[in-house]
Amino acid sequence: MKVIIAGFNLDKTLIDKYVPCAQSTPESISAAYARISRSSKSVNELRTDSLKEIEKSRASNQTIIFEMGHASVAEHAVFNVDIIGISRYLTEFIERSRLASFTEKSQRYVTFEDDFVIPEDLDSSIKEEYIKLTQTLFKEYQSTIVTLMNNLKAREPELKKRDLETKAKEDARYILPLSTKTQLGMTINARNLENLLQRLHNLPITEAQELYRQLFDAVCHVAPSLIRYTDVKKNAYSEFDSLKPIIKARSDELVTLTAANGSEVDILAALLYEKNSITFSDALASIVSLTPVEKAKLWDSIFRDLKFWQKLPRAFEMCDLIFETVMSQCCWAQFKRHRMCSIFKTSEVCGSENVIPPSVQELEVRDKWQNLFTEVNLLIQKIKQNQPLLSNYCLTNSHPVRVMVKINLRELYHFVRLRSDQHAQWEIRKISDLMSSLTRAKYPMAAKFLMGKSSYQKLEQNH
Ligand SMILES: Cc1cc2nc3c(=O)[nH]c(=O)nc-3n(C[C@H](O)[C@H](O)[C@H](O)COP(=O)(O)OP(=O)(O)OC[C@H]3O[C@@H](n4cnc5c(N)ncnc54)[C@H](O)[C@@H]3O)c2cc1C
């Protein structure tokens, strides 16, 4: 056996300094790997060949990826991209790319300055009002940080300054708008980058088009054979718009378990199936024939010595759950970062009230916030009349969204471990706790250890 590191991501300044311009592309790796399936040469020889003949590599990539449809070859080329000075609104949009990795500046730990996107295409008659109101929101954010810090200090004098600041920022950020500028690091392969470019191309706002152009210009010379179809028109499913008049809206609940498919018996049967050469129905029949005590023994064996960082077996994917929930934009920013599930968000803000953190609820600041939300909502309505997409910049972190998630029990364990943890942010923790108790009621054995990672530590200490 031989293991060779064929490449890894290097800082661009080093690439510019040491790699000859003509060879400074990830295309050679994609081309070499694409040839593995049809060549008797070893992989490292294929890499040497493709590096020598970049133009030939480009031509073979084009044929293999775009003509033969072996698109996963483009996944061998990976980019790291710094995105600076982008709105939180557009950040949310790009972070829906599920097969990419992001790290974004945290509004929990960093104080945000009065720096926000003013959409170039916003009607000039509204621009001044938009700027003034956004500046007021930033001022309110700064003053809420001070108020919350003073209040916390009086209540918990033992807290260090840093902890006071973090707790205050965590809640004061609910008043910040989605126009707030932020920055992020994105790691994305060429296949997914092409998809992101297509999505950006289809978002008709100036900021998205600017990002599309800058991203495309940056990568089109580096990997022209891997990123090709970027200006495709996506289906807007506009037929569904005609159904609006017949829609009957129900009231919102914080979390509902809409459906749960698959049973605990399926999980045990899938584990048995993997260990034997039998059909799945034979495995099911064997599990069904067990007594409750025998089944309980199997469950005990699955969870024995389970640590909070250990994945549950794949058999837990036999159970799928669908939850509907209502949360703030702030919570959504965290929720949608979970990639191994299907998440849907309504495009319009639902009828619920803005989410105000409990720490703000109990102070006079609350009334100021309510008045500001009224002003923001009026401005949103004004902008919506002619430029509905641009009204999204005015939404604050506290505006409610309705979200549906389809997640399997294995991934739900991962989600709940992170989000029901004692360090988790209070709103997502509340939602995670509710999801977890609804799941435990449905799957009492399989979901027995559905809890935050801090609770695992407590369990261990008690043993
Ligand atoms: C306390 C806390 C603080 C945070 N702070 C920040 C912050 O400051 N800034 C910020 O940007 N984010 C922050 N996050 C979000 C965090 O970085 C993750 O994006 C988020 O928690 C999703 O979790 P995940 O990546 O573990 O798994 P998910 O996306 O839920 O995926 C589930 C599992 O799939 C696998 N997986 C999915 N995608 C990949 C991949 N590309 N490569 C390898 N394995 C993969 C992993 O096994 C993962 O555990 C924070 C999260 C927490 C809990």
Side-chain angles (χ1 to χ4, degrees):
M1 188 202 286
K2 219 186 212 175
V3 175
I4 304 170
I5 296 282
F8 47 81
N9 45 359
L10 269 183
D11 195 286
K12 180 73 164 52
T13 45
L14 291 178
I15 296 175
D16 289 346
K17 197 166 171 189
Y18 297 111
V19 183
C21 192
Q23 290 177 328
S24 167
T25 169
E27 289 166 306
S28 59
I29 297 208
S30 284
Y33 284 3
R35 288 170 186 155
I36 291 175
S37 52
R38 280 147 209 250
S39 170
S40 54
K41 285 189 181 177
S42 74
V43 191
N44 55 325
E45 281 177 83
L46 290 172
R47 270 195 301 108
T48 312
D49 292 350
S50 64
L51 201 54
K52 270 193 218 143
E53 296 175 314
I54 295 290
E55 284 314 317
K56 230 173 150 183
S57 299
R58 286 196 166 130
S60 75
N61 278 342
Q62 299 244 7
T63 315
I64 293 167
I65 298 169
F66 298 106
E67 284 163 35
M68 292 166 62
H70 187 168
S72 58
V73 162
E75 294 167 24
H76 294 300
V78 176
F79 297 89
N80 298 106
V81 188
D82 305 343
I83 305 180
I84 302 160
I86 181 181
S87 71
R88 285 266 312 106
Y89 165 52
L90 195 56
T91 301
E92 290 297 316
F93 181 86
I94 64 170
E95 285 180 355
R96 290 305 307 271
S97 298
R98 236 184 324 198
L99 297 171
S101 310
F102 304 98
T103 297
E104 181 191 336
K105 180 154 92 172
S106 167
Q107 292 191 336
R108 223 176 164 188
Y109 304 112
V110 184
T111 312
F112 277 63
E113 300 304 325
D114 181 353
D115 196 9
F116 56 91
V117 168
I118 304 164
E120 268 179 45
D121 29 3
L122 188 63
D123 274 353
S124 50
S125 59
I126 297 180
K127 230 172 219 171
E128 201 178 317
E129 190 183 344
Y130 170 90
I131 294 171
K132 257 194 183 157
L133 185 51
T134 311
Q135 283 168 339
T136 312
L137 293 176
F138 271 93
K139 265 196 209 127
E140 187 53 39
Y141 161 73
Q142 295 287 355
S143 87
T144 306
I145 291 180
V146 177
T147 312
L148 287 178
M149 276 180 74
N150 289 338
N151 192 44
L152 264 170
K153 201 172 172 187
R155 276 191 183 181
E156 299 178 58
E158 70 288 355
L159 277 182
K160 292 192 184 112
K161 187 167 174 265
R162 208 167 139 206
D163 296 331
L164 284 174
E165 272 177 7
T166 306
K167 279 182 177 259
K169 280 180 215 166
E170 177 173 301
D171 285 352
R173 68 174 155 166
Y174 274 72
I175 195 76
L176 284 178
L178 295 194
S179 59
T180 305
K181 282 191 184 172
T182 189
Q183 60 173 357
L184 63 144
M186 169 173 76
T187 302
I188 190 162
N189 68 45
R191 187 183 194 181
N192 291 311
L193 184 54
E194 187 182 65
N195 194 277
L196 172 60
L197 285 164
Q198 285 175 8
R199 290 178 51 235
L200 284 169
H201 184 76
N202 280 273
L203 183 63
I205 56 169
T206 336
E207 195 192 11
Q209 294 315 308
E210 171 68 12
L211 179 61
Y212 170 87
R213 196 186 52 71
Q214 287 207 32
L215 261 179
F216 184 76
D217 287 352
V219 296
C220 70
H221 306 295
V222 185
S225 67
L226 300 175
I227 295 166
R228 197 166 166 196
Y229 299 121
T230 59
D231 53 1
V232 180
K233 194 160 170 31
K234 292 214 167 196
N235 188 342
Y237 306 106
S238 27
E239 290 299 313
F240 286 82
D241 296 343
S242 63
L243 299 182
K244 272 197 176 174
I246 64 155
I247 293 171
K248 290 194 186 105
R250 284 186 311 143
S251 63
D252 298 317
E253 278 189 50
L254 197 54
V255 179
T256 348
L257 177 59
T258 315
N261 300 315
S263 69
E264 294 186 318
V265 168
D266 291 325
I267 298 178
L268 296 179
L271 278 164
L272 185 66
Y273 178 83
E274 282 189 318
K275 288 192 153 284
N276 293 282
S277 179
I278 48 173
T279 64
F280 188 63
S281 15
D282 289 339
L284 269 178
S286 310
I287 297 293
V288 169
S289 72
L290 298 179
T291 65
V293 174
E294 286 167 328
K295 281 190 215 145
K297 259 191 187 168
L298 291 177
W299 286 113
D300 280 349
S301 74
I302 294 172
F303 293 119
R304 193 176 302 135
D305 295 331
L306 182 71
K307 304 280 185 269
F308 70 83
W309 41 263
Q310 275 172 332
K311 272 190 174 281
L312 271 300
R314 200 168 279 209
F316 279 65
E317 293 177 20
M318 294 297 287
C319 296
D320 266 323
L321 300 114
I322 300 179
F323 295 97
E324 278 193 68
T325 165
V326 177
M327 61 183 74
S328 70
Q329 290 278 355
C330 181
C331 187
W332 162 249
Q334 304 164 68
F335 197 91
K336 59 98 189 37
R337 291 292 296 277
H338 292 277
R339 296 159 288 181
M340 305 295 275
C341 49
S342 308
I343 307 185
F344 308 84
K345 177 170 85 86
T346 52
S347 60
E348 293 194 7
V349 177
C350 52
S352 313
E353 289 189 351
N354 288 45
V355 176
I356 300 182
S359 64
V360 175
Q361 288 271 10
E362 60 191 43
L363 301 174
E364 275 174 29
V365 180
R366 176 205 154 104
D367 297 338
K368 276 199 288 149
W369 278 35
Q370 295 281 25
N371 292 338
L372 280 170
F373 293 143
T374 309
E375 278 188 60
V376 168
N377 289 337
L378 283 172
L379 182 60
I380 287 176
Q381 290 314 321
K382 243 191 230 177
I383 300 177
K384 255 190 181 170
Q385 282 171 13
N386 294 322
Q387 300 174 294
L389 272 177
L390 295 188
S391 65
N392 287 312
Y393 283 105
C394 299
L395 293 171
T396 64
N397 280 332
S398 70
H399 274 81
V401 292
R402 187 182 283 131
V403 174
M404 176 170 74
V405 58
K406 178 167 178 280
I407 187 166
N408 68 52
L409 187 52
R410 190 181 189 211
E411 284 311 318
L412 187 63
Y413 259 94
H414 178 71
F415 174 87
V416 170
R417 280 167 172 180
L418 287 179
R419 302 306 186 175
S420 284
D421 182 63
Q422 65 184 11
H423 300 295
Q425 189 258 352
W426 61 267
E427 190 185 352
I428 198 164
R429 185 173 179 184
K430 195 156 109 185
I431 287 176
S432 172
D433 287 350
L434 283 169
M435 285 167 71
S436 129
S437 66
L438 287 167
T439 309
R440 275 202 302 271
K442 175 78 193 162
Y443 300 116
M445 298 306 279
K448 199 170 165 189
F449 290 88
L450 201 54
M451 56 181 78
K453 51 191 172 60
S454 42
S455 302
Y456 276 73
Q457 280 146 11
K458 277 185 213 141
L459 274 183
E460 274 172 26
Q461 281 158 12
N462 292 342
H463 275 138

